[in-house]
Amino acid sequence: LDKDNFDKEQKEILYDMLSTSKYLQNLVSNIIQKFKTDNGSLVITKQSNSLKKLLTECCDEIKYMASERSLTLDVSYKTEYENILFDYEQLKRVIHNLLINALKYSYKNSKVYISAEDDGKNIIVYVKNSGDGISKEYQDNIFDKFITFSETQKSISCGLGLHIAKEIVTAHGGTIKFESIPKEYTQLTFTLPLE
């Protein structure tokens, strides 16, 4: 679309439509993915791919969602490893799920950080936001299926995003963990083995 052909109100409507479509697409994808994993058909095909390219692509695809809430995406790649082995489409699903959650539960006018580094054995990816966080009573169940905290956020969710993210990361031989301090921040961290 040529952005110069639309006035401010039309652009806002288009961005709202794009944001809603992307969010609904993510919900449907999560439901389909859960059906596949329940039926034993989660297939991970590792190939040499650029994680830096994937992180940039994911942020570009959701930047309009961030702008709707006056959020800034801060991306950093702090490792010399350009290409590593992973399933591009499956890991894209993980990063989208983590980023969309981070955007949804962030305070307005704040930053969402996504960064990658390595420890010599693993690539470590962090997604961090500033927001209400998750209270301690719910933190042990964060990766369970059908668990959602949308009641407090007044949003639609099927409660599968983090559950699916964990299954995909585990299938890659990695780990995923969660850390949250209520009223401050939430950070999800996952690893991918370098070998």
Side-chain angles (χ1 to χ4, degrees), residues 85-147:
L85 293 174
F86 64 89
D87 185 311
Y88 197 89
E89 289 305 315
Q90 294 287 11
L91 200 62
K92 186 175 186 178
R93 186 181 315 280
V94 171
I95 294 167
H96 267 163
N97 279 334
L98 299 186
L99 283 174
I100 287 172
N101 273 354
L103 293 177
K104 185 168 55 170
Y105 298 117
S106 288
Y107 292 138
K108 285 190 176 183
N109 303 306
S110 65
K111 279 189 178 182
V112 171
Y113 299 90
I114 180 164
S115 62
E117 58 186 53
D118 73 89
D119 64 4
K121 294 180 181 179
N122 300 283
I123 293 285
I124 307 159
V125 178
Y126 304 89
V127 177
K128 183 177 182 179
N129 74 325
S130 297
D132 286 338
I134 306 297
S135 62
K136 293 193 181 297
E137 62 188 290
Y138 298 116
Q139 290 185 12
D140 290 342
N141 307 106
I142 196 74
F143 293 107
D144 292 352
K145 59 185 170 185
F146 309 122
I147 296 296

Side-chain angles (χ1 to χ4, degrees), residues 13-29:
I13 291 168
L14 284 171
Y15 282 125
D16 282 348
M17 290 169 61
L18 280 170
S19 180
T20 302
S21 296
K22 190 70 182 172
Y23 186 64
L24 290 174
Q25 178 187 12
N26 192 60
L27 282 175
V28 171
S29 292

Side-chain angles (χ1 to χ4, degrees), residues 64-72 107-111:
Y64 53 86
M65 293 176 74
S67 67
E68 275 189 337
R69 293 181 47 81
S70 303
L71 299 171
T72 306
Y107 292 138
K108 285 190 176 183
N109 303 306
S110 65
K111 279 189 178 182

